[in-house]
Amino acid sequence: MAEFLILLYSILMTKVFSGIRPSGKLHLGNYLGAIKNWIELQDKAEQAIFAVVDLHGITTPYDPAAYKQQVMDVILDYLAAGIDPDKSLLIRQSKIPQHTELAWIFNTITPVSWLERLPNYREKVEQVEQSGDKNAKSYQNNLSILAYPVLMAADILLYKSNLVPVGEDQLLHLNLTNEVGAKFNHVFGEVFPNVKTHLATGARIMSLQDPTKKMSKTGDDGIALSDEPDIIRAKFKKATTDSGKEVKFDQENKAGISNLLTIYSLLAKKEMRDIEKEYEGKNYGDFKSDLAEVTVNFLKPFQQKREEYQKDMSQVEAILENSEEKARHLAEQTMKEVREKMGI
Ligand code: TYM
């Protein structure tokens, strides 16, 4: 009984935060690695906040003229995927100025060496160099790329969140969040909780072209949530598989087909074993075209719901403004504590 009560208490006291950069169309990796879990968690958590992290998105080359629309596109994706504004706050990061205030404060206690050792940092520098963007030179190795995880720590800790549902690529950032929070508590006094990462089975969906790389928003290798049925069919048809024939999960030797099996199993909610059995004696072509139909059918209601929201943008604006006002209030409560502890 006591254990049950502790479990119940810890679920009820959960404060969830997560976010996505608006730097391209959301894809199946973002959905399976992150958003799918958000929807499950929003029903149980005491507090759930989902952000479009537009201040993170400006750390790499972007188009200012298209940016507002890109941000709203992600908000529409959140709503269409099932984020419920009655249960969760949906926010644009830049509308809550306390994110940057706390990030600056965290900068004052974060050694540069903690940031330089992160592989995501080096990856980003390389990505910008190779992007071919006309502004790539202006963004090469800027301070904000290095300081990116500090802002991320601020996003999470500003709301005293203690559970962050993300894909596998964010794990080291979450470790850093805990290091920064613990250091603040040590130097100035207890304010921030320890943060747990919530990882999903789809925590790492790979590129369809190169299954050794993760599916990403910037390449054309992913299935966007907004892709038309024929585009989805064409993308799966072209997806890289190995030279074998068997539809079998074998991460090491059959990375391509294993990735496709993972997507199939998560979207169709079927056990891997059952799918393998179903495709005994059949070839990759059969499997890929069925997977395309599974995906098309899965995305149909999502795309319809998205269109409905899109027709009523004033309702979407109202949802955002209401959420952002509540978020600013929560953020200010934490900041008051922080400023007081720091003597500012
Ligand atoms: P971002 O925008 O790159 O990705 C958003 C979320 O999608 C997950 N994801 C994937 N999951 C599985 N397979 C993939 N191929 C795949 N690609 C992306 C990511 O793990 C992430 O959960 N730094 C973050 C944004 C951020 C944030 C935060 C997240 C800023 N502040 C605070 C959580 C809490 C990022 O760039 O995610």
Side-chain angles (χ1 to χ4, degrees):
M1 185 65 182
E3 269 171 29
F4 171 75
L5 286 177
I6 291 169
L7 184 70
L8 188 69
Y9 180 78
S10 69
I11 291 173
L12 292 178
M13 293 309 285
T14 303
K15 294 185 178 178
V16 176
F17 182 93
S18 202
I20 296 186
R21 269 174 309 140
S23 30
K25 289 181 180 168
L26 295 200
H27 53 71
L28 276 182
N30 297 131
Y31 179 79
L32 295 171
I35 303 177
K36 183 169 174 273
N37 295 308
W38 302 1
I39 293 155
E40 287 158 20
L41 289 169
Q42 72 179 347
D43 290 330
K44 303 179 196 143
E46 180 202 357
Q47 172 183 298
I49 305 177
F50 301 112
V52 178
V53 288
D54 49 354
L55 296 173
H56 280 91
I58 58 171
T59 58
T60 46
Y62 74 103
D63 177 5
Y67 203 53
K68 273 209 173 90
Q69 187 55 49
Q70 262 171 255
V71 171
M72 288 313 271
D73 278 343
V74 179
I75 294 284
L76 285 169
D77 283 343
Y78 284 3
L79 287 165
I83 301 298
D84 179 348
D86 289 331
K87 296 177 184 158
S88 305
L89 301 185
L90 268 94
I91 60 167
R92 291 162 290 191
Q93 181 192 30
S94 63
K95 303 287 177 191
I96 292 96
Q98 289 90 342
H99 284 253
T100 42
E101 184 184 354
L102 187 57
W104 180 257
I105 284 170
F106 284 164
N107 279 336
T108 67
I109 55 165
T110 307
V112 173
S113 59
W114 287 6
L115 302 169
E116 279 173 335
R117 69 179 186 218
L118 293 172
N120 300 48
Y121 159 61
R122 272 174 259 124
E123 250 171 52
K124 270 272 139 45
V125 172
E126 240 172 66
Q127 256 176 33
V128 172
E129 266 170 21
Q130 293 163 3
S131 69
D133 190 283
K134 65 179 177 9
N135 288 325
K137 267 216 147 53
S138 311
Y139 283 86
Q140 253 170 34
N141 210 354
N142 282 348
L143 179 58
S144 64
I145 298 189
L146 183 67
Y148 181 109
V150 181
L151 178 57
M152 188 165 158
D155 297 338
I156 296 165
L157 294 174
L158 185 58
Y159 304 103
K160 299 200 176 180
S161 321
N162 51 21
L163 191 68
V164 180
V166 281
E168 217 173 79
D169 58 337
Q170 300 298 317
L171 276 179
L172 293 174
H173 287 160
L174 268 287
N175 289 348
L176 184 100
T177 298
N178 277 326
E179 281 179 295
V180 173
K183 185 154 178 199
F184 183 98
N185 291 346
H186 176 72
V187 176
F188 298 108
E190 199 73 19
V191 174
F192 299 111
N194 190 263
V195 179
K196 285 208 177 86
T197 309
H198 186 280
L199 272 189
T201 329
R204 196 168 177 82
I205 300 294
M206 309 311 281
S207 151
L208 297 189
Q209 249 66 75
D210 178 356
T212 61
K213 292 198 180 123
K214 69 170 184 171
M215 189 178 277
S216 78
K217 289 195 268 282
T218 32
D220 65 345
D221 56 357
I223 303 282
L225 300 180
S226 55
D227 276 346
E228 303 271 337
D230 281 343
I231 300 204
I232 296 176
R233 291 183 186 112
K235 283 184 178 173
F236 276 122
K237 204 168 184 186
K238 273 199 315 202
T240 306
T241 42
D242 56 280
S243 55
K245 276 200 192 115
E246 267 183 304
V247 180
K248 254 199 157 348
F249 188 88
D250 177 353
Q251 190 66 57
E252 221 163 273
N253 303 307
K254 291 157 92 68
I257 206 75
S258 300
N259 186 39
L260 298 183
L261 271 163
T262 304
I263 297 175
Y264 193 123
S265 142
L266 291 167
L267 294 185
K269 296 198 176 73
K270 282 188 182 172
E271 292 289 328
M272 203 66 90
R273 291 191 297 277
D274 297 336
I275 307 172
E276 286 175 345
K277 239 194 204 136
E278 215 175 295
Y279 285 91
E280 264 170 25
K282 295 188 185 169
N283 59 33
Y284 287 167
D286 298 328
F287 172 69
K288 281 178 168 185
S289 65
D290 288 353
L291 172 57
E293 294 320 306
V294 164
T295 309
V296 167
N297 287 330
F298 179 84
L299 290 177
K300 206 185 275 167
F302 164 86
Q303 293 176 350
Q304 281 165 352
K305 210 167 155 195
R306 195 181 192 284
E307 261 174 46
E308 278 162 33
Y309 275 112
Q310 204 161 11
K311 281 189 209 141
D312 192 358
M313 287 310 283
S314 56
Q315 184 203 353
V316 176
E317 281 288 349
I319 290 172
L320 284 173
E321 276 163 27
N322 180 38
S323 288
E324 285 159 357
E325 197 182 317
K326 289 185 181 150
R328 277 191 291 271
H329 178 71
L330 291 171
E332 192 48 27
Q333 284 178 335
T334 307
M335 287 316 298
K336 273 195 185 126
E337 250 183 277
V338 167
R339 293 184 207 113
E340 197 175 307
K341 291 256 191 280
M342 295 186 72
I344 54 175

